[in-house]
């Protein structure tokens, strides 16, 4: 067939065939039934085109499935907001990082917590002193203000009792200090929660932890059972939420007076409350994201728990110019 086509083209160049026959052949060829070779070639070409089209279509379908599977794992976050300047508490990090507990090491993300005082006498006033050093062991002196403070220090005994939320001050040489009394003997954990500012403007938010010691007879207390409410200074604080491993879900706290009315809640650290969550066992520190305003009269946060277990929640809130702490045990299955 190919030889016949070439022959026709040659004849067309010599003027033996009509001009239209160069494209489709003469009238008799156009009307005649194609021979077996033509049919076979058409079938082969058609099969190749169909295979390409099917492969393209399947690729589009598979691509669409991959995009859907790699989308946000945490639909509960859609539409919620955070207080301005929350820094370390944004959701821009990857899901794995967002669910990782902090405060388990003295060094992380290029920064090291260096304690200058780590032993205390139980029941006696002391002072916690420490520095934050960078990767070259230089004291860090530039920090972002997060929740109204450049440094938040949480102290708790290893049985999750004795919670304290402190705000140290920094000297010109990068030494942080704050008065601290450890009321009972035992091993205590101190967390430094901060956002460091590098020379090029980069911000690194992290939480570092170190053990403190108060020598003496240590009698650990059993962790209280989960309960939907607790009482603090004649105020009842109710808890509502169902944390799940690896998911970020809302948890809320409602404060009521003895007569059931709602007291006026005041801002504390830039919002209506501050929540710390610690994991029983390794005392992993969880970042908790607050809503800047009350939600239906309740203080609401977004909590991500990295795995099953028991967690202790510490809610700091203010009424009448006084900061109070409500504590809850939460079981995550």
């Amino acid at each position: 067939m190919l030889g016949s086509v070439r022959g026709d083209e040659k004849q067309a160049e010599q003027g033996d065939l009509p001009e239209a026959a160069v494209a489709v052949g003469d009238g008799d060829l156009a009307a005649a039934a194609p021979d077996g070779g033509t049919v076979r070639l058409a079938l082969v070409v058609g099969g190749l085109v169909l295979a390409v089209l099917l492969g393209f279509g399947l690729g589009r379908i598979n691509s669409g499935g991959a995009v859907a599977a790699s989308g946000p794992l945490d639909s509960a976050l859609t539409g919620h907001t955070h207080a301005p300047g929350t820094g370390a508490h944004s959701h821009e990090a990857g899901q794995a990082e967002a669910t990782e507990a902090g405060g388990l090491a003295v060094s992380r993300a290029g920064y090291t917590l260096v304690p200058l005082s780590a032993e205390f006498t139980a029941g006696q006033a002391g002072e916690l002193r420490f520095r934050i050093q960078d990767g070259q062991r230089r004291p860090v002196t530039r920090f972002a203000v997060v929740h109204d403070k450049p440094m938040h220090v949480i102290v708790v005994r290893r049985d999750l009792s004795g919670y304290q939320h402190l705000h140290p001050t920094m000297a010109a040489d990068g030494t942080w200090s704050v008065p601290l009394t450890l009321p009972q003997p035992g091993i205590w954990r101190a967390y430094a929660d901060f956002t460091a500012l590098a020379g090029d403007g980069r911000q690194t938010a992290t939480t570092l932890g170190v053990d403190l010691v108060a020598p003496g007879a240590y009698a650990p207390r059993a962790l209280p059972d989960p309960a939907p409410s607790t009482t603090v200074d004649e105020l009842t604080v109710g808890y509502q939420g169902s944390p799940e491993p690896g998911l970020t879900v809302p948890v809320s706290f409602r404060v009521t007076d003895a007569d059931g009315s709602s007291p006026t809640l005041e801002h504390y650290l830039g919002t209506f409350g501050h929540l710390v969550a610690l994991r029983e066992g390794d005392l992993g520190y969880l970042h908790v994201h607050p809503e800047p305003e009350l939600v239906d009269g309740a203080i609401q946060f977004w909590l991500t728990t990295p795995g099953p277990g028991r967690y202790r929640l510490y809610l700091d809130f203010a009424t009448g110019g006084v900061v109070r702490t409500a504590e809850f045990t939460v079981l995550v299955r």
Side-chain angles (χ1 to χ4, degrees):
M1 176 183 177
L2 292 177
S4 174
V5 171
R6 291 194 185 99
D8 291 345
E9 290 175 350
K10 183 176 181 180
Q11 294 178 23
E13 292 173 359
Q14 297 173 351
D16 295 335
L17 288 176
E19 183 178 352
V22 175
V24 296
D26 59 24
D28 293 337
L29 290 174
D35 59 23
T38 301
V39 173
R40 286 193 296 271
L41 179 60
L43 290 174
V44 170
V45 173
L48 290 174
V49 172
L50 180 60
V52 170
L53 292 175
L54 286 174
F56 178 76
L58 290 174
R60 290 293 299 272
I61 293 172
N62 290 338
S63 175
V67 170
S70 62
L73 298 175
D74 193 0
S75 60
L77 287 175
T78 303
H80 87 288
T81 58
H82 296 314
T86 52
H89 305 287
S90 69
H91 292 298
E92 297 175 2
Q95 183 71 9
E97 181 180 346
T99 59
E100 181 183 357
L104 299 176
V106 295
S107 293
R108 186 185 186 191
Y111 295 93
T112 299
L113 170 59
V114 180
L116 304 179
S117 57
E119 184 169 323
F120 295 78
T121 301
Q124 293 187 12
E127 184 179 53
L128 176 63
R129 300 173 66 247
F130 64 93
R131 292 193 187 101
I132 303 297
Q133 293 182 347
D134 63 15
Q136 288 72 46
R137 299 185 180 180
R138 299 172 301 193
V140 180
T141 58
R142 298 183 65 226
F143 298 84
V145 174
V146 179
H147 293 309
D148 285 353
K149 300 291 181 180
M151 179 71 68
H152 298 263
V153 170
I154 304 299
V155 178
V156 66
R157 200 166 70 160
R158 282 229 163 237
D159 60 0
L160 295 175
S161 67
Y163 167 89
Q164 299 181 53
H165 185 167
L166 310 172
H167 300 113
T169 57
M170 188 187 72
D173 66 352
T175 299
W176 292 90
S177 60
V178 63
L180 174 62
T181 300
L182 301 182
Q184 302 292 334
I187 305 297
W188 295 68
R189 190 70 174 173
Y191 303 88
D193 185 345
F194 62 90
T195 298
L197 296 177
D200 59 3
R202 288 182 297 110
Q203 297 189 18
T204 301
T206 191
T207 302
L208 304 178
V210 67
D211 281 347
L212 309 177
V213 179
Y218 172 43
R221 301 175 184 175
L223 196 63
D225 292 330
S229 65
T230 188
T231 301
V232 182
D233 296 338
E234 299 183 354
L235 295 174
T236 298
V237 182
Y239 163 80
Q240 186 172 14
S242 299
E244 298 182 42
L247 295 180
T248 302
V249 300
V251 295
S252 61
F253 302 86
R254 188 176 301 275
V255 182
T256 56
D257 286 318
D259 59 2
S261 62
S262 298
T264 300
L265 296 174
E266 302 164 354
H267 269 198
Y268 174 63
L269 300 176
T271 185
F272 285 102
H274 187 278
L275 183 65
V276 169
L278 300 177
R279 179 170 56 190
E280 183 186 35
D282 62 0
L283 272 65
Y285 181 99
L286 308 184
H287 284 270
V288 189
H289 317 288
E291 290 289 353
E293 302 297 335
L294 297 176
V295 178
D296 191 25
I299 311 171
Q300 182 169 291
F301 301 86
W302 294 84
L303 173 64
T304 306
T305 50
R310 291 201 300 177
Y311 293 81
R312 192 68 168 164
L313 308 186
Y314 306 88
L315 171 69
D316 296 324
F317 66 98
T319 59
V322 178
V323 177
R324 299 171 171 86
T325 301
E327 302 184 14
F328 295 84
T329 299
V330 174
L331 178 62
V332 178
R333 301 181 184 276

